[in-house]
Amino acid sequence: MNLQQLAYVVALDTHRQFGLAAEKSCVSQPALSVQVQKLEEELGVLLFDRSQRGAEPTAVGIKVIAQARQVLREAQHLRELVQIEKGEVVGELRLGVIPTLAPYLVPRFLVGLTTAYPDLRIRVEELRSEEIMQQLKDHRLDVGLLVTPLDDRQLHELPLLDEPFLLLSSETHPLAAQATVQPTDLQQPGLWLLQQGHCFRNQVLNLCSPSSPTGTITYESGSIETLKELVRRHHGYTLVPELAVLDEVESNPLVKRFVAPAPVREVSLVVHHGFVRTTLLTALRDLILASVPARLHAGKAGAKVRWR
């Protein structure tokens, strides 16, 4: 038994197909299959049920795979502890980012991160909050960038930003004539929302008055950029995070701020409590904070209300 065999078993459990597991492990499919089979022979149990549709872990396989993940985590921690002692920032950073943050925040710091740490391999995935949380706990991700608080004792949150909600109105909507807006204005018809499953949608609905009629929801989109384009080309309005309109927030009269206390969402770096690469986490935090206006930094003065 060796760590490489355990890694192949974990890859096969993750992807449930020999070909895909081999591709992600940068090895040929026959080589991966042989090593998994050797481990099964050594343990004297079948870890996976094979079929034309793929591979599913057996009952005992589920227990073995869980322990294999733990062994691999501990082995990785050994490497990371040595790197920390040497003052090195190397290896791989697996970063998960929610879709309503990724296009607006990641491009601001990614080049700076690769420039500062050229020996660091960076893999970024856009995932929903629940997926990021689970993969952090499974140690398939190192760091998450998402909206908090999460209220999960297995995860540690490092707040970065208090990002305001802003209202974007079409030229023809009655809200276009207002200098500022307040939550009660969201009772007006014409609100465009993200699809179910996005945490930003839930935050918007929490911000709306409970008495708001469901008829205000005229369309549900999969991206904030689509919502912005729908508002610009058609009648209605939507809510956007400030980073999504950062270049026009001061110049576009159709972008409205809420009256104080302004609603904001807390954006944090999130790691598993066992995460030990504190130097890397600090560097990532500093790069992100340097890439956005200081007014967005968490804890800055001003009347704000965090929405979940």
Side-chain angles (χ1 to χ4, degrees), residues 182-247:
Q182 51 191 343
T184 54
D185 290 323
L186 302 182
Q187 298 180 44
Q188 298 194 36
L191 176 62
W192 307 72
L193 288 175
L194 287 174
Q195 293 170 336
Q196 291 186 1
H198 292 272
C199 61
F200 189 76
R201 169 197 169 97
N202 297 334
Q203 293 152 10
V204 170
L205 290 177
N206 289 338
L207 179 57
C208 294
S209 167
S211 62
S212 297
T214 56
T216 59
I217 304 173
T218 57
Y219 183 91
E220 295 183 4
S221 168
S223 77
I224 289 176
E225 287 305 304
T226 301
L227 293 180
K228 290 164 59 179
E229 194 63 21
L230 286 167
V231 168
R232 287 168 177 147
R233 293 180 176 271
H234 302 281
H235 186 75
Y237 66 100
T238 191
L239 266 65
V240 294
E242 183 163 341
L243 287 173
V245 289
L246 197 58
D247 295 336

Side-chain angles (χ1 to χ4, degrees), residues 2 5 17 22 36 45 52 58 79 96 135 141 174 193 195 207 211 226 229 247 272 277 284 303:
N2 57 57
Q5 288 174 331
Q17 293 181 353
V36 171
V45 294
Q52 291 184 344
T58 61
R79 299 186 186 97
Q135 291 197 29
L141 287 175
L193 288 175
Q195 293 170 336
L207 179 57
S211 62
T226 301
E229 194 63 21
D247 295 336
H272 191 274
R277 302 166 75 186
L284 184 58

Side-chain angles (χ1 to χ4, degrees), residues 12 15-30 32-33 54:
L12 185 56
H15 302 291
R16 303 298 171 94
Q17 293 181 353
F18 278 89
L20 184 56
E23 178 185 343
K24 296 296 184 180
S25 302
C26 300
V27 68
S28 69
Q29 181 174 334
L32 183 140
S33 299

Side-chain angles (χ1 to χ4, degrees), residues 71-89:
V71 171
L72 291 172
R73 284 196 293 269
E74 295 301 327
Q76 181 60 29
H77 282 175
L78 284 176
R79 299 186 186 97
E80 292 170 350
L81 286 171
V82 172
Q83 291 167 1
I84 290 170
E85 289 299 315
K86 292 180 177 180
E88 298 175 343
V89 179

Side-chain angles (χ1 to χ4, degrees), residues 148-161:
T148 53
L150 302 174
D151 297 326
D152 192 312
R153 294 184 178 181
Q154 295 186 55
L155 302 177
H156 172 69
E157 302 169 10
L158 180 64
L160 294 174
L161 311 175

Side-chain angles (χ1 to χ4, degrees), residues 272-287:
H272 191 274
H273 271 297
F275 188 80
V276 298
R277 302 166 75 186
T278 53
T279 300
L280 175 58
L281 192 64
T282 300
L284 184 58
R285 179 199 63 189
D286 292 346
L287 282 167

